[in-house]
Amino acid sequence: MSDPRFRRAAVVAGPVLLCVAGAATFAAKIASVTVPGYAVPLSGPVVGTVSIDQPSAAVVVVSLSSSNPQVVAVPSNVPIQPGSTRAQFVATGAGPGCARLTAKLGDGTRTDYLVVHPASSASTLTMKLPNQILPLGGTIPSSVGTGSSFGTADVVLSSSNPAVATVPASVRLMRGSASFGITTRAEGCAMITATLGSQVLKRTIQVVYIGG
């Protein structure tokens, strides 16, 4: 006959941590980490959220890190209170560039990609890019404009990292706007620059292999 002292507690593989007196306690797992909007304002805060798959009877501490704290700074951990499945944190845009946030709980991790755009003094020049990561291996529709429907003008375009993404050398504004494509060539970060006379506008892009 087995020793009854060992009937009351047993470690079980998988998500079950402990079985005490017949009652099973399941470990919460990380579900997501999200920052709304993808682009974090330069020198400005934005509120993000970490979530777990189920509430816990105790405080759950989720570890949080940024791949590039000089671009996006975050706290090192986020506590989720008992009975809750989520908690908020503040991400701060520290400088232009790209960053990947990683939330870790136990062996589980979740990530979110973020960019910070450089400051701009352009008065009328605008650039429209997808407000999300760009998938590797495609041409992404984008555009520049001035808001004026009169005349024509050439906007000079460039990429800070042609190994990651390329753009045409220039596009001609017709009735205040022009379309162009961003061709993604490798994973990484790049700045797309549009120049019209004295106006210079830069936007950050992040290329990621989606898979499939």
Side-chain angles (χ1 to χ4, degrees):
M1 179 178 297
S2 60
D3 192 326
R5 292 176 299 171
F6 296 98
R7 295 179 186 174
R8 298 180 61 84
V11 176
V12 184
V16 180
L17 283 186
L18 191 65
C19 183
V20 180
T25 301
F26 291 83
K29 295 184 291 185
I30 188 71
S32 66
V33 55
T34 57
V35 174
Y38 176 62
V40 177
L42 182 62
S43 300
V46 64
V47 177
T49 303
V50 292
S51 63
I52 54 179
D53 66 335
Q54 59 183 303
S56 173
V59 174
V60 175
V61 179
V62 178
S63 298
L64 195 62
S65 63
S66 169
S67 65
N68 196 342
Q70 294 181 331
V71 172
V72 177
V74 295
S76 58
N77 58 71
V78 182
I80 299 177
Q81 297 302 314
S84 180
T85 58
R86 63 184 57 201
Q88 294 182 323
F89 63 92
V90 174
T92 303
C98 302
R100 184 182 68 253
L101 296 191
T102 300
K104 180 176 174 59
L105 180 60
D107 294 331
T109 60
R110 290 292 185 270
T111 59
D112 194 21
Y113 293 89
L114 301 171
V115 298
V116 177
H117 299 306
S120 172
S121 60
S123 57
T124 61
L125 182 62
T126 61
M127 189 189 320
K128 292 183 179 180
L129 309 176
N131 191 37
Q132 61 186 38
I133 57 174
L134 304 187
L136 176 62
T139 298
I140 313 303
S142 307
S143 66
V144 289
T146 60
S148 173
S149 59
F150 299 100
T152 62
D154 290 333
V155 177
V156 178
L157 301 174
S158 65
S159 168
S160 66
N161 194 344
V164 170
T166 57
V167 292
S170 65
V171 290
R172 176 156 294 185
L173 295 174
M174 302 292 292
R175 297 183 178 180
S177 65
S179 298
F180 67 95
I182 301 174
T183 301
T184 57
R185 301 186 178 278
E187 288 192 298
C189 189
M191 301 283 182
I192 305 301
T193 301
T195 304
L196 177 62
S198 61
Q199 297 188 72
V200 179
L201 181 61
K202 296 184 178 184
R203 289 291 180 262
T204 309
I205 63 168
Q206 188 163 195
V207 178
V208 176
Y209 173 66
I210 303 300

